[in-house]
Amino acid sequence: MKINCDQLAGLLPEFFDGDLSTDQSDAAIDHLATCVSCRLTVDELKGVRTLASEHGRLELPPESKERIRRSLDLD
Ligand SMILES: [Zn+2]
C-alpha cells in the first residue's frame, strides 16, 4: 500500500496512538522513509505531544508559533 502526504496526515492521530492496522502503519513508515516534509511534520508533532504530556497542556514550539504568525501575517 502506497500513500501520499494527505493520506499520511489523515493517519497521523492513529499513528501516534498506535491504533493503525499493520498495513496502515507499514504504509505510514514507508512514506516517512521517503518524504522529508512529512518527517518534519511528525517530528514537530512529537515535540508538541511531548511538551503537552510534560506540562499537561498543549504548547507549540516557538518556531511553529512564529511560522503560524507569519502565515497569518500578524505583527
Ligand atoms: Zn509526505
Short mmCIF file of all heavy atoms in Angstrom, two decimals:
data_model
loop_
_atom_site.label_atom_id
_atom_site.label_comp_id
_atom_site.label_asym_id
_atom_site.label_seq_id
_atom_site.Cartn_x
_atom_site.Cartn_y
_atom_site.Cartn_z
N MET A 1 0.85 -1.20 0.00
CA MET A 1 0.00 0.00 0.00
C MET A 1 0.88 1.25 0.00
O MET A 1 1.79 1.39 0.82
CB MET A 1 -0.88 -0.04 1.26
CG MET A 1 -1.82 1.16 1.40
SD MET A 1 -3.14 0.80 2.58
CE MET A 1 -2.84 2.06 3.83
N LYS A 2 0.65 2.12 -0.98
CA LYS A 2 1.37 3.39 -1.06
C LYS A 2 0.41 4.51 -0.68
O LYS A 2 -0.74 4.53 -1.11
CB LYS A 2 1.87 3.63 -2.49
CG LYS A 2 3.09 2.82 -2.84
CD LYS A 2 4.36 3.58 -2.43
CE LYS A 2 5.58 2.69 -2.64
NZ LYS A 2 6.67 3.00 -1.72
N ILE A 3 0.88 5.44 0.12
CA ILE A 3 0.03 6.57 0.47
C ILE A 3 0.75 7.87 0.14
O ILE A 3 1.97 7.92 0.03
CB ILE A 3 -0.36 6.55 1.96
CG1 ILE A 3 0.89 6.55 2.86
CG2 ILE A 3 -1.25 5.35 2.28
CD1 ILE A 3 0.56 6.73 4.33
N ASN A 4 -0.03 8.92 -0.03
CA ASN A 4 0.56 10.23 -0.30
C ASN A 4 0.54 11.08 0.98
O ASN A 4 0.10 10.62 2.04
CB ASN A 4 -0.16 10.93 -1.46
CG ASN A 4 -1.62 11.20 -1.16
OD1 ASN A 4 -2.00 11.38 -0.01
ND2 ASN A 4 -2.44 11.22 -2.19
N CYS A 5 1.02 12.30 0.86
CA CYS A 5 1.17 13.15 2.05
C CYS A 5 -0.18 13.41 2.73
O CYS A 5 -0.27 13.40 3.96
CB CYS A 5 1.81 14.48 1.65
SG CYS A 5 3.48 14.30 1.02
N ASP A 6 -1.22 13.64 1.93
CA ASP A 6 -2.54 13.91 2.52
C ASP A 6 -3.04 12.70 3.29
O ASP A 6 -3.61 12.83 4.38
CB ASP A 6 -3.56 14.24 1.41
CG ASP A 6 -3.41 15.67 0.95
OD1 ASP A 6 -2.71 16.45 1.64
OD2 ASP A 6 -3.98 16.01 -0.09
N GLN A 7 -2.84 11.53 2.70
CA GLN A 7 -3.29 10.31 3.38
C GLN A 7 -2.50 10.08 4.66
O GLN A 7 -3.06 9.68 5.68
CB GLN A 7 -3.14 9.11 2.44
CG GLN A 7 -4.15 9.12 1.31
CD GLN A 7 -3.82 8.07 0.26
OE1 GLN A 7 -2.70 7.98 -0.24
NE2 GLN A 7 -4.79 7.24 -0.05
N LEU A 8 -1.20 10.38 4.61
CA LEU A 8 -0.40 10.23 5.81
C LEU A 8 -0.92 11.14 6.91
O LEU A 8 -1.08 10.74 8.06
CB LEU A 8 1.07 10.52 5.54
CG LEU A 8 1.89 10.35 6.83
CD1 LEU A 8 2.28 8.90 7.02
CD2 LEU A 8 3.08 11.25 6.90
N ALA A 9 -1.20 12.40 6.53
CA ALA A 9 -1.68 13.35 7.53
C ALA A 9 -2.95 12.83 8.20
O ALA A 9 -3.14 12.99 9.40
CB ALA A 9 -1.95 14.71 6.86
N GLY A 10 -3.80 12.16 7.40
CA GLY A 10 -5.03 11.61 7.95
C GLY A 10 -4.78 10.47 8.92
O GLY A 10 -5.59 10.21 9.82
N LEU A 11 -3.65 9.79 8.74
CA LEU A 11 -3.34 8.64 9.60
C LEU A 11 -2.61 9.03 10.87
O LEU A 11 -2.52 8.23 11.81
CB LEU A 11 -2.46 7.63 8.84
CG LEU A 11 -3.08 6.89 7.65
CD1 LEU A 11 -2.04 5.99 6.99
CD2 LEU A 11 -4.28 6.06 8.09
N LEU A 12 -2.07 10.25 10.90
CA LEU A 12 -1.17 10.60 12.00
C LEU A 12 -1.76 10.47 13.40
O LEU A 12 -1.07 9.97 14.30
CB LEU A 12 -0.60 12.01 11.79
CG LEU A 12 0.53 12.09 10.75
CD1 LEU A 12 1.03 13.52 10.64
CD2 LEU A 12 1.68 11.15 11.08
N PRO A 13 -2.99 10.90 13.62
CA PRO A 13 -3.51 10.77 15.00
C PRO A 13 -3.49 9.33 15.48
O PRO A 13 -3.05 9.05 16.61
CB PRO A 13 -4.96 11.29 14.89
CG PRO A 13 -4.96 12.18 13.69
CD PRO A 13 -3.94 11.59 12.74
N GLU A 14 -3.93 8.41 14.63
CA GLU A 14 -3.91 6.99 14.99
C GLU A 14 -2.49 6.47 15.05
O GLU A 14 -2.16 5.60 15.86
CB GLU A 14 -4.72 6.16 13.98
CG GLU A 14 -6.22 6.31 14.12
CD GLU A 14 -6.75 7.49 13.34
OE1 GLU A 14 -5.93 8.16 12.67
OE2 GLU A 14 -7.96 7.75 13.39
N PHE A 15 -1.63 7.00 14.18
CA PHE A 15 -0.23 6.60 14.18
C PHE A 15 0.39 6.85 15.55
O PHE A 15 1.06 5.99 16.12
CB PHE A 15 0.51 7.39 13.09
CG PHE A 15 1.97 7.05 12.94
CD1 PHE A 15 2.38 5.87 12.33
CD2 PHE A 15 2.96 7.92 13.39
CE1 PHE A 15 3.73 5.56 12.18
CE2 PHE A 15 4.31 7.63 13.23
CZ PHE A 15 4.69 6.45 12.62
N PHE A 16 0.13 8.03 16.10
CA PHE A 16 0.70 8.36 17.40
C PHE A 16 0.06 7.57 18.53
O PHE A 16 0.70 7.28 19.54
CB PHE A 16 0.56 9.86 17.69
CG PHE A 16 1.61 10.67 16.99
CD1 PHE A 16 1.28 11.55 15.99
CD2 PHE A 16 2.94 10.53 17.35
CE1 PHE A 16 2.26 12.28 15.34
CE2 PHE A 16 3.93 11.25 16.71
CZ PHE A 16 3.58 12.13 15.70
N ASP A 17 -1.21 7.25 18.34
CA ASP A 17 -1.88 6.48 19.40
C ASP A 17 -1.65 4.99 19.26
O ASP A 17 -2.11 4.21 20.09
CB ASP A 17 -3.39 6.78 19.37
CG ASP A 17 -3.67 8.20 19.82
OD1 ASP A 17 -2.82 8.78 20.51
OD2 ASP A 17 -4.74 8.74 19.48
N GLY A 18 -0.95 4.59 18.18
CA GLY A 18 -0.69 3.17 17.97
C GLY A 18 -1.94 2.40 17.55
O GLY A 18 -2.03 1.19 17.78
N ASP A 19 -2.89 3.11 16.94
CA ASP A 19 -4.15 2.48 16.57
C ASP A 19 -4.24 2.05 15.11
O ASP A 19 -5.29 1.64 14.65
CB ASP A 19 -5.32 3.46 16.83
CG ASP A 19 -5.63 3.55 18.32
OD1 ASP A 19 -5.19 2.66 19.07
OD2 ASP A 19 -6.30 4.51 18.71
N LEU A 20 -3.13 2.16 14.38
CA LEU A 20 -3.17 1.78 12.97
C LEU A 20 -3.10 0.27 12.80
O LEU A 20 -2.49 -0.43 13.62
CB LEU A 20 -1.99 2.41 12.22
CG LEU A 20 -2.00 3.91 12.04
CD1 LEU A 20 -0.77 4.32 11.23
CD2 LEU A 20 -3.25 4.39 11.36
N SER A 21 -3.71 -0.21 11.72
CA SER A 21 -3.51 -1.60 11.36
C SER A 21 -2.07 -1.78 10.89
O SER A 21 -1.37 -0.80 10.60
CB SER A 21 -4.47 -2.00 10.23
OG SER A 21 -4.08 -1.35 9.04
N THR A 22 -1.62 -3.03 10.82
CA THR A 22 -0.24 -3.27 10.38
C THR A 22 0.00 -2.69 8.99
O THR A 22 1.02 -2.05 8.74
CB THR A 22 0.03 -4.79 10.35
OG1 THR A 22 -0.40 -5.34 11.59
CG2 THR A 22 1.50 -5.07 10.17
N ASP A 23 -0.96 -2.89 8.09
CA ASP A 23 -0.84 -2.35 6.73
C ASP A 23 -0.69 -0.84 6.75
O ASP A 23 0.14 -0.27 6.04
CB ASP A 23 -2.09 -2.70 5.91
CG ASP A 23 -1.97 -4.07 5.27
OD1 ASP A 23 -0.93 -4.73 5.49
OD2 ASP A 23 -2.91 -4.47 4.57
N GLN A 24 -1.54 -0.20 7.55
CA GLN A 24 -1.51 1.27 7.60
C GLN A 24 -0.20 1.78 8.20
O GLN A 24 0.38 2.73 7.69
CB GLN A 24 -2.69 1.78 8.42
CG GLN A 24 -4.01 1.69 7.69
CD GLN A 24 -5.16 2.06 8.61
OE1 GLN A 24 -5.19 1.65 9.77
NE2 GLN A 24 -6.10 2.82 8.09
N SER A 25 0.25 1.14 9.27
CA SER A 25 1.48 1.66 9.88
C SER A 25 2.68 1.35 9.00
O SER A 25 3.59 2.16 8.91
CB SER A 25 1.65 1.14 11.31
OG SER A 25 2.09 -0.17 11.33
N ASP A 26 2.67 0.21 8.28
CA ASP A 26 3.73 -0.04 7.31
C ASP A 26 3.75 1.05 6.24
O ASP A 26 4.81 1.55 5.87
CB ASP A 26 3.53 -1.40 6.63
CG ASP A 26 4.00 -2.55 7.51
OD1 ASP A 26 4.57 -2.27 8.59
OD2 ASP A 26 3.79 -3.71 7.13
N ALA A 27 2.56 1.39 5.76
CA ALA A 27 2.47 2.41 4.71
C ALA A 27 2.94 3.76 5.24
O ALA A 27 3.64 4.50 4.55
CB ALA A 27 1.03 2.50 4.21
N ALA A 28 2.58 4.06 6.49
CA ALA A 28 2.99 5.34 7.08
C ALA A 28 4.51 5.38 7.23
O ALA A 28 5.15 6.38 6.86
CB ALA A 28 2.32 5.54 8.43
N ILE A 29 5.09 4.31 7.75
CA ILE A 29 6.54 4.28 7.95
C ILE A 29 7.26 4.33 6.61
O ILE A 29 8.27 5.02 6.45
CB ILE A 29 6.91 3.01 8.75
CG1 ILE A 29 6.44 3.19 10.20
CG2 ILE A 29 8.41 2.75 8.71
CD1 ILE A 29 6.39 1.91 11.00
N ASP A 30 6.69 3.61 5.62
CA ASP A 30 7.25 3.62 4.28
C ASP A 30 7.25 5.03 3.70
O ASP A 30 8.23 5.50 3.11
CB ASP A 30 6.39 2.70 3.41
CG ASP A 30 7.16 2.15 2.24
OD1 ASP A 30 8.24 1.59 2.48
OD2 ASP A 30 6.68 2.30 1.09
N HIS A 31 6.14 5.74 3.88
CA HIS A 31 6.05 7.11 3.37
C HIS A 31 7.05 8.01 4.08
O HIS A 31 7.74 8.80 3.45
CB HIS A 31 4.62 7.64 3.54
CG HIS A 31 4.46 9.01 2.96
ND1 HIS A 31 4.13 9.24 1.65
CD2 HIS A 31 4.63 10.24 3.52
CE1 HIS A 31 4.10 10.55 1.42
NE2 HIS A 31 4.40 11.18 2.55
N LEU A 32 7.14 7.86 5.40
CA LEU A 32 8.05 8.71 6.17
C LEU A 32 9.51 8.47 5.78
O LEU A 32 10.33 9.38 5.86
CB LEU A 32 7.87 8.45 7.67
CG LEU A 32 6.56 8.99 8.23
CD1 LEU A 32 6.37 8.50 9.66
CD2 LEU A 32 6.54 10.51 8.19
N ALA A 33 9.81 7.24 5.34
CA ALA A 33 11.18 6.92 4.95
C ALA A 33 11.58 7.68 3.69
O ALA A 33 12.76 7.90 3.44
CB ALA A 33 11.33 5.42 4.74
N THR A 34 10.60 8.08 2.89
CA THR A 34 10.91 8.70 1.60
C THR A 34 10.51 10.16 1.54
O THR A 34 10.82 10.84 0.58
CB THR A 34 10.18 7.96 0.46
OG1 THR A 34 8.78 8.00 0.70
CG2 THR A 34 10.64 6.51 0.36
N CYS A 35 9.81 10.67 2.54
CA CYS A 35 9.27 12.02 2.45
C CYS A 35 9.77 12.88 3.60
O CYS A 35 9.35 12.72 4.75
CB CYS A 35 7.74 11.96 2.45
SG CYS A 35 7.00 13.59 2.27
N VAL A 36 10.69 13.78 3.28
CA VAL A 36 11.30 14.62 4.31
C VAL A 36 10.27 15.54 4.96
O VAL A 36 10.28 15.74 6.17
CB VAL A 36 12.46 15.45 3.72
CG1 VAL A 36 13.02 16.41 4.75
CG2 VAL A 36 13.55 14.53 3.20
N SER A 37 9.39 16.09 4.16
CA SER A 37 8.48 17.10 4.73
C SER A 37 7.52 16.46 5.73
O SER A 37 7.22 17.05 6.78
CB SER A 37 7.75 17.86 3.63
OG SER A 37 6.75 17.07 3.07
N CYS A 38 7.07 15.25 5.46
CA CYS A 38 6.21 14.57 6.43
C CYS A 38 6.99 14.18 7.68
O CYS A 38 6.46 14.20 8.78
CB CYS A 38 5.55 13.34 5.81
SG CYS A 38 4.21 13.79 4.70
N ARG A 39 8.27 13.85 7.49
CA ARG A 39 9.08 13.50 8.65
C ARG A 39 9.22 14.71 9.58
O ARG A 39 9.16 14.59 10.80
CB ARG A 39 10.46 13.02 8.19
CG ARG A 39 10.99 11.89 9.03
CD ARG A 39 11.88 10.97 8.25
NE ARG A 39 12.97 11.70 7.61
CZ ARG A 39 13.50 11.34 6.43
NH1 ARG A 39 13.04 10.30 5.80
NH2 ARG A 39 14.48 12.04 5.91
N LEU A 40 9.40 15.89 8.98
CA LEU A 40 9.49 17.10 9.79
C LEU A 40 8.19 17.34 10.53
O LEU A 40 8.19 17.73 11.70
CB LEU A 40 9.82 18.31 8.90
CG LEU A 40 11.24 18.33 8.35
CD1 LEU A 40 11.41 19.50 7.38
CD2 LEU A 40 12.26 18.43 9.47
N THR A 41 7.07 17.11 9.84
CA THR A 41 5.77 17.28 10.48
C THR A 41 5.64 16.36 11.68
O THR A 41 5.21 16.76 12.76
CB THR A 41 4.63 16.97 9.48
OG1 THR A 41 4.82 17.77 8.33
CG2 THR A 41 3.27 17.24 10.10
N VAL A 42 6.05 15.11 11.49
CA VAL A 42 5.96 14.13 12.57
C VAL A 42 6.84 14.53 13.74
O VAL A 42 6.43 14.46 14.90
CB VAL A 42 6.33 12.72 12.05
CG1 VAL A 42 6.57 11.76 13.21
CG2 VAL A 42 5.21 12.20 11.16
N ASP A 43 8.07 14.98 13.43
CA ASP A 43 8.98 15.41 14.50
C ASP A 43 8.36 16.56 15.29
O ASP A 43 8.44 16.61 16.51
CB ASP A 43 10.31 15.88 13.91
CG ASP A 43 11.21 14.70 13.57
OD1 ASP A 43 10.87 13.57 13.96
OD2 ASP A 43 12.25 14.93 12.93
N GLU A 44 7.74 17.48 14.56
CA GLU A 44 7.14 18.64 15.20
C GLU A 44 5.98 18.20 16.10
O GLU A 44 5.86 18.63 17.25
CB GLU A 44 6.64 19.60 14.13
CG GLU A 44 6.51 21.01 14.60
CD GLU A 44 6.40 21.95 13.41
OE1 GLU A 44 7.39 22.13 12.68
OE2 GLU A 44 5.30 22.46 13.21
N LEU A 45 5.15 17.31 15.57
CA LEU A 45 4.01 16.82 16.36
C LEU A 45 4.48 16.05 17.58
O LEU A 45 3.91 16.16 18.66
CB LEU A 45 3.12 15.92 15.50
CG LEU A 45 2.28 16.63 14.46
CD1 LEU A 45 1.56 15.62 13.59
CD2 LEU A 45 1.27 17.55 15.13
N LYS A 46 5.54 15.27 17.40
CA LYS A 46 6.10 14.53 18.53
C LYS A 46 6.53 15.49 19.62
O LYS A 46 6.28 15.27 20.79
CB LYS A 46 7.32 13.74 18.06
CG LYS A 46 7.07 12.29 17.81
CD LYS A 46 8.43 11.62 17.59
CE LYS A 46 8.32 10.51 16.59
NZ LYS A 46 9.60 10.23 15.93
N GLY A 47 7.20 16.57 19.21
CA GLY A 47 7.65 17.58 20.16
C GLY A 47 6.47 18.19 20.89
O GLY A 47 6.49 18.35 22.11
N VAL A 48 5.43 18.51 20.16
CA VAL A 48 4.24 19.11 20.75
C VAL A 48 3.61 18.15 21.74
O VAL A 48 3.23 18.52 22.85
CB VAL A 48 3.21 19.49 19.66
CG1 VAL A 48 1.88 19.89 20.29
CG2 VAL A 48 3.76 20.63 18.81
N ARG A 49 3.53 16.88 21.34
CA ARG A 49 2.91 15.89 22.23
C ARG A 49 3.75 15.68 23.49
O ARG A 49 3.21 15.50 24.57
CB ARG A 49 2.72 14.57 21.49
CG ARG A 49 1.62 14.65 20.47
CD ARG A 49 1.49 13.34 19.73
NE ARG A 49 0.92 12.32 20.58
CZ ARG A 49 -0.36 11.96 20.57
NH1 ARG A 49 -1.19 12.56 19.75
NH2 ARG A 49 -0.81 11.02 21.34
N THR A 50 5.08 15.68 23.32
CA THR A 50 5.94 15.53 24.49
C THR A 50 5.74 16.69 25.45
O THR A 50 5.55 16.50 26.65
CB THR A 50 7.42 15.46 24.05
OG1 THR A 50 7.55 14.43 23.08
CG2 THR A 50 8.33 15.16 25.22
N LEU A 51 5.75 17.89 24.91
CA LEU A 51 5.51 19.06 25.74
C LEU A 51 4.16 18.97 26.43
O LEU A 51 4.03 19.27 27.61
CB LEU A 51 5.55 20.34 24.89
CG LEU A 51 6.93 20.88 24.53
CD1 LEU A 51 6.79 22.02 23.53
CD2 LEU A 51 7.66 21.37 25.77
N ALA A 52 3.16 18.56 25.66
CA ALA A 52 1.81 18.51 26.21
C ALA A 52 1.75 17.53 27.38
O ALA A 52 1.13 17.82 28.40
CB ALA A 52 0.82 18.10 25.12
N SER A 53 2.43 16.39 27.23
CA SER A 53 2.35 15.42 28.33
C SER A 53 3.22 15.86 29.51
O SER A 53 2.92 15.56 30.65
CB SER A 53 2.74 14.03 27.84
OG SER A 53 4.05 14.03 27.36
N GLU A 54 4.29 16.59 29.23
CA GLU A 54 5.13 17.07 30.32
C GLU A 54 4.46 18.17 31.12
O GLU A 54 4.58 18.24 32.34
CB GLU A 54 6.47 17.61 29.79
CG GLU A 54 7.50 16.51 29.58
CD GLU A 54 8.73 17.02 28.85
OE1 GLU A 54 8.84 18.25 28.65
OE2 GLU A 54 9.56 16.20 28.48
N HIS A 55 3.75 19.03 30.40
CA HIS A 55 3.20 20.20 31.07
C HIS A 55 1.69 20.11 31.27
O HIS A 55 1.10 21.00 31.85
CB HIS A 55 3.52 21.47 30.28
CG HIS A 55 5.00 21.70 30.13
ND1 HIS A 55 5.80 22.02 31.19
CD2 HIS A 55 5.80 21.60 29.06
CE1 HIS A 55 7.05 22.13 30.76
NE2 HIS A 55 7.09 21.87 29.48
N GLY A 56 1.12 19.04 30.74
CA GLY A 56 -0.31 18.86 30.89
C GLY A 56 -1.14 19.81 30.07
O GLY A 56 -2.32 19.96 30.27
N ARG A 57 -0.53 20.48 29.12
CA ARG A 57 -1.29 21.32 28.20
C ARG A 57 -0.54 21.40 26.89
O ARG A 57 0.66 21.13 26.84
CB ARG A 57 -1.54 22.71 28.76
CG ARG A 57 -0.29 23.51 28.95
CD ARG A 57 -0.55 24.66 29.92
NE ARG A 57 0.72 25.24 30.34
CZ ARG A 57 1.29 26.27 29.73
NH1 ARG A 57 0.71 26.83 28.69
NH2 ARG A 57 2.44 26.76 30.15
N LEU A 58 -1.27 21.79 25.85
CA LEU A 58 -0.68 21.84 24.53
C LEU A 58 0.08 23.15 24.33
O LEU A 58 -0.47 24.23 24.52
CB LEU A 58 -1.79 21.72 23.47
CG LEU A 58 -1.30 21.39 22.07
CD1 LEU A 58 -0.72 19.98 22.02
CD2 LEU A 58 -2.45 21.50 21.11
N GLU A 59 1.35 23.01 23.99
CA GLU A 59 2.18 24.19 23.79
C GLU A 59 2.96 24.02 22.49
O GLU A 59 3.69 23.06 22.35
CB GLU A 59 3.14 24.35 24.97
CG GLU A 59 4.05 25.54 24.88
CD GLU A 59 3.57 26.66 25.79
OE1 GLU A 59 3.19 26.36 26.93
OE2 GLU A 59 3.58 27.82 25.36
N LEU A 60 2.78 24.97 21.58
CA LEU A 60 3.53 24.88 20.33
C LEU A 60 4.95 25.35 20.54
O LEU A 60 5.19 26.27 21.31
CB LEU A 60 2.87 25.78 19.27
CG LEU A 60 1.56 25.29 18.68
CD1 LEU A 60 0.99 26.38 17.78
CD2 LEU A 60 1.74 24.02 17.90
N PRO A 61 5.90 24.71 19.85
CA PRO A 61 7.27 25.23 19.92
C PRO A 61 7.34 26.65 19.34
O PRO A 61 6.54 26.98 18.46
CB PRO A 61 8.07 24.26 19.04
CG PRO A 61 7.13 23.27 18.50
CD PRO A 61 5.75 23.55 19.00
N PRO A 62 8.25 27.48 19.84
CA PRO A 62 8.31 28.89 19.41
C PRO A 62 8.41 29.04 17.90
O PRO A 62 7.79 29.93 17.34
CB PRO A 62 9.58 29.43 20.08
CG PRO A 62 9.90 28.48 21.17
CD PRO A 62 9.27 27.17 20.83
N GLU A 63 9.19 28.16 17.24
CA GLU A 63 9.34 28.33 15.79
C GLU A 63 8.02 28.06 15.06
O GLU A 63 7.74 28.67 14.04
CB GLU A 63 10.48 27.49 15.23
CG GLU A 63 10.36 26.00 15.44
CD GLU A 63 10.95 25.54 16.79
OE1 GLU A 63 11.11 26.39 17.70
OE2 GLU A 63 11.23 24.35 16.91
N SER A 64 7.19 27.19 15.60
CA SER A 64 5.88 26.96 14.99
C SER A 64 4.99 28.17 15.18
O SER A 64 4.28 28.59 14.27
CB SER A 64 5.19 25.76 15.62
OG SER A 64 5.92 24.59 15.38
N LYS A 65 5.02 28.73 16.39
CA LYS A 65 4.23 29.94 16.64
C LYS A 65 4.62 31.04 15.67
O LYS A 65 3.78 31.72 15.11
CB LYS A 65 4.45 30.42 18.07
CG LYS A 65 3.65 29.67 19.10
CD LYS A 65 3.85 30.34 20.45
CE LYS A 65 3.25 29.50 21.57
NZ LYS A 65 3.87 29.81 22.86
N GLU A 66 5.94 31.18 15.51
CA GLU A 66 6.46 32.21 14.62
C GLU A 66 5.96 31.99 13.19
O GLU A 66 5.51 32.91 12.53
CB GLU A 66 7.99 32.18 14.66
CG GLU A 66 8.68 33.24 13.82
CD GLU A 66 8.31 34.66 14.24
OE1 GLU A 66 8.07 34.88 15.44
OE2 GLU A 66 8.25 35.53 13.36
N ARG A 67 6.00 30.73 12.76
CA ARG A 67 5.60 30.42 11.39
C ARG A 67 4.11 30.66 11.22
O ARG A 67 3.66 31.19 10.21
CB ARG A 67 5.95 28.97 11.07
CG ARG A 67 6.13 28.73 9.60
CD ARG A 67 6.92 27.47 9.36
NE ARG A 67 6.29 26.32 10.00
CZ ARG A 67 6.95 25.30 10.52
NH1 ARG A 67 8.26 25.30 10.49
NH2 ARG A 67 6.33 24.31 11.08
N ILE A 68 3.33 30.28 12.22
CA ILE A 68 1.89 30.49 12.14
C ILE A 68 1.59 31.98 12.10
O ILE A 68 0.78 32.45 11.31
CB ILE A 68 1.18 29.82 13.34
CG1 ILE A 68 1.27 28.30 13.19
CG2 ILE A 68 -0.28 30.27 13.42
CD1 ILE A 68 0.92 27.54 14.46
N ARG A 69 2.30 32.74 12.96
CA ARG A 69 2.06 34.18 12.99
C ARG A 69 2.40 34.81 11.64
O ARG A 69 1.67 35.65 11.14
CB ARG A 69 2.90 34.82 14.10
CG ARG A 69 2.21 36.01 14.71
CD ARG A 69 3.00 36.61 15.84
NE ARG A 69 4.38 36.86 15.43
CZ ARG A 69 5.37 37.05 16.27
NH1 ARG A 69 5.12 37.02 17.56
NH2 ARG A 69 6.58 37.26 15.85
N ARG A 70 3.54 34.35 11.07
CA ARG A 70 3.91 34.89 9.75
C ARG A 70 2.90 34.53 8.71
O ARG A 70 2.53 35.34 7.86
CB ARG A 70 5.29 34.38 9.34
CG ARG A 70 6.40 35.35 9.67
CD ARG A 70 7.60 35.10 8.77
NE ARG A 70 8.07 33.71 8.88
CZ ARG A 70 9.01 33.31 9.74
NH1 ARG A 70 9.59 34.17 10.51
NH2 ARG A 70 9.37 32.05 9.77
N SER A 71 2.40 33.28 8.76
CA SER A 71 1.45 32.86 7.73
C SER A 71 0.13 33.60 7.87
O SER A 71 -0.60 33.78 6.93
CB SER A 71 1.25 31.34 7.77
OG SER A 71 0.49 30.99 8.90
N LEU A 72 -0.18 34.03 9.09
CA LEU A 72 -1.39 34.81 9.31
C LEU A 72 -1.16 36.29 9.07
O LEU A 72 -2.08 37.08 9.06
CB LEU A 72 -1.90 34.62 10.75
CG LEU A 72 -2.37 33.22 11.12
CD1 LEU A 72 -2.68 33.16 12.60
CD2 LEU A 72 -3.61 32.85 10.31
N ASP A 73 0.13 36.63 8.90
CA ASP A 73 0.52 38.00 8.63
C ASP A 73 0.12 38.94 9.76
O ASP A 73 -0.37 40.04 9.52
CB ASP A 73 -0.07 38.46 7.28
CG ASP A 73 0.79 39.58 6.67
OD1 ASP A 73 1.96 39.71 7.07
OD2 ASP A 73 0.27 40.32 5.83
N LEU A 74 0.29 38.50 10.98
CA LEU A 74 0.04 39.37 12.13
C LEU A 74 1.36 39.95 12.61
O LEU A 74 2.41 39.36 12.42
CB LEU A 74 -0.57 38.56 13.28
CG LEU A 74 -1.89 37.86 12.99
CD1 LEU A 74 -2.26 36.97 14.17
CD2 LEU A 74 -2.98 38.87 12.73
N ASP A 75 1.27 41.07 13.25
CA ASP A 75 2.50 41.61 13.81
C ASP A 75 2.21 42.50 15.01
O ASP A 75 1.16 43.10 15.09
CB ASP A 75 3.30 42.41 12.78
CG ASP A 75 4.78 42.02 12.86
OD1 ASP A 75 5.16 41.44 13.91
OD2 ASP A 75 5.51 42.31 11.93
ZN ZN B 1 4.77 13.15 2.62
#
